[in-house]
């Protein structure tokens, strides 16, 4: 895979799967825009990713659930690069776990706003810019979750949001495919990210026994699949949901 002269935009790029993806795309030659709501994490990612002579990376603060923030990010990208990215990775996500009968309306709304609405806003805003600039092709990769397929105790809001991301992906793929913008999603399983650190050890042990490979995944193992979907090697893959679960 080679992404020389390509521009990538990664939300949630400050940590976890987003950071791993930014590193991998940079390794393959892309200039990477690291977008995150945490500025310290953005700087840490920028320090950690490879930079060759013809690469120019950028960090931008974003709140994906707010349209004005997404538009402001696009403006910063256009000001620097004079064109929108053709690789877009929607990795920003949050959890607010609680059992259904105790889950607050605010926690339900926040998770849906970031995980689902945020993905929608980024797709819409950046796809419109890609079309306005008459770019020949692009690839959008969204991060859903295996629990969006099967459900999970204490995660009604998260599961609903990720199920929505998967179906949003399939609809966007149908609408944008004719314009040479491919849209696919990843369904990660239990991946060792900061988000997983909040899960109690007993729950982690339970999930490990349900994984055929008997271990949690690494963020880089998801990032490599994202890089494949961003590349021309996946040029006829559109509207797909790829499970990266170790055999969950």
């Amino acid at each position: 895979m080679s992404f020389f002269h390509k521009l990538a935009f990664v939300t949630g790029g400050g940590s976890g799967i987003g950071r791993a993806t930014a590193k991998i795309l940079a390794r393959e030659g892309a200039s990477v825009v690291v977008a995150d709501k945490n500025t310290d994490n953005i700087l840490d990612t920028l320090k950690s990713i490879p930079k060759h002579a013809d690469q120019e990376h950028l960090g931008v603060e974003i709140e994906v659930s707010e349209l004005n923030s997404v538009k402001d990010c696009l403006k910063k990208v256009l000001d620097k690069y004079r064109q929108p990215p053709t690789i877009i990775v929607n990795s920003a996500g949050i959890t607010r776990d609680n059992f259904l009968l105790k889950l607050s309306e605010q926690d339900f709304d926040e998770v849906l706003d970031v995980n689902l609405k945020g993905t929608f806003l980024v797709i819409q805003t950046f796809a419109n810019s890609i079309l306005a600039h008459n770019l020949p092709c692009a690839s959008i990769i969204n991060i859903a979750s295996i629990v969006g397929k099967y459900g999970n105790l204490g995660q009604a809001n998260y599961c609903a949001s990720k199920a929505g991301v998967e179906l949003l992906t399939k609809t966007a793929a149908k609408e944008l495919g004719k314009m040479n913008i491919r849209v696919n999603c990843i369904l990660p399983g239990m991946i060792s990210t900061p988000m997983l650190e909040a899960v109690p050890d007993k729950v982690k042990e339970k999930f490990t026994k349900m994984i055929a490979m008997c271990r949690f995944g690494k963020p880089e193992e998801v990032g490599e699949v994202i890089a494949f979907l961003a590349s021309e090697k996946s040029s006829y893959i559109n509207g797909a949901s790829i499970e990266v679960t170790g055999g969950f």
Side-chain angles (χ1 to χ4, degrees):
M1 289 179 289
S2 176
F3 297 119
F4 287 110
H5 307 301
K6 288 211 170 191
L7 179 60
F9 181 83
V10 183
T11 72
S15 64
I17 292 171
R19 177 177 288 179
T21 300
K23 288 182 180 180
I24 291 165
L25 295 175
R27 180 198 71 196
E28 297 297 326
S31 292
V32 180
V33 179
V34 179
D36 201 284
K37 69 182 298 182
N38 186 310
T39 52
D40 289 339
N41 287 350
I42 291 171
L43 293 174
D44 287 344
T45 296
L46 289 174
K47 289 175 186 175
S48 69
I49 61 180
K51 187 175 185 294
H52 305 293
D54 57 350
Q55 289 174 295
E56 254 191 297
H57 306 313
L58 175 68
V60 291
E61 191 174 349
I62 190 171
E63 179 53 72
V64 294
S65 62
E66 297 176 6
L67 179 58
N68 286 339
S69 178
V70 175
K71 287 184 174 180
D72 183 59
C73 275
L74 175 60
K75 182 180 184 302
K76 289 175 181 175
V77 172
L78 295 177
D79 286 346
K80 183 173 180 65
Y81 300 100
R82 304 301 173 192
Q83 67 178 36
T86 54
I87 299 171
I88 297 162
V89 181
N90 282 300
S91 185
I94 63 169
T95 57
R96 296 285 186 272
D97 295 350
N98 210 334
F99 289 112
L100 180 65
L101 299 183
K102 297 180 179 179
L103 184 63
S104 71
E105 182 180 1
Q106 181 180 350
D107 284 348
F108 185 89
D109 287 346
E110 282 185 11
V111 170
L112 269 290
D113 281 349
V114 172
N115 297 359
L116 181 54
K117 180 185 172 184
T119 301
F120 157 70
L121 290 176
V122 172
I123 293 174
Q124 184 186 65
T125 302
F126 281 78
N128 271 319
S129 185
I130 290 167
L131 296 174
H133 284 77
N134 295 311
L135 298 179
C137 60
S139 178
I140 300 173
I141 302 100
N142 302 320
I143 305 301
S145 173
I146 195 65
V147 300
K149 185 173 181 179
Y150 296 115
N152 194 31
L153 290 169
Q155 289 194 311
N157 48 0
Y158 185 77
C159 294
S161 72
K162 292 303 189 177
V165 168
E166 184 175 7
L167 271 296
L168 173 63
T169 297
K170 293 184 182 299
T171 300
K174 292 178 186 297
E175 294 186 9
L176 300 178
K178 62 177 72 70
M179 304 163 193
N180 287 321
I181 300 175
R182 297 184 296 113
V183 189
N184 294 289
C185 73
I186 306 288
L187 276 60
M190 301 298 285
I191 309 298
S192 297
T193 66
M195 189 180 289
L196 193 63
E197 290 173 6
V199 177
D201 289 340
K202 287 184 178 180
V203 177
K204 290 179 184 177
E205 290 174 12
K206 177 184 175 183
F207 274 108
T208 302
K209 293 175 182 177
M210 299 169 66
I211 300 168
M213 294 181 71
C214 302
R215 67 171 176 87
F216 292 166
K218 302 171 186 176
E220 294 77 14
E221 291 176 307
V222 181
E224 295 288 359
V225 181
I226 292 171
F228 167 70
L229 289 174
S231 77
E232 287 305 307
K233 291 187 176 183
S234 62
S235 58
Y236 200 56
I237 299 178
N238 186 38
S241 302
I242 298 180
E243 296 183 11
V244 184
T245 67
F248 179 77

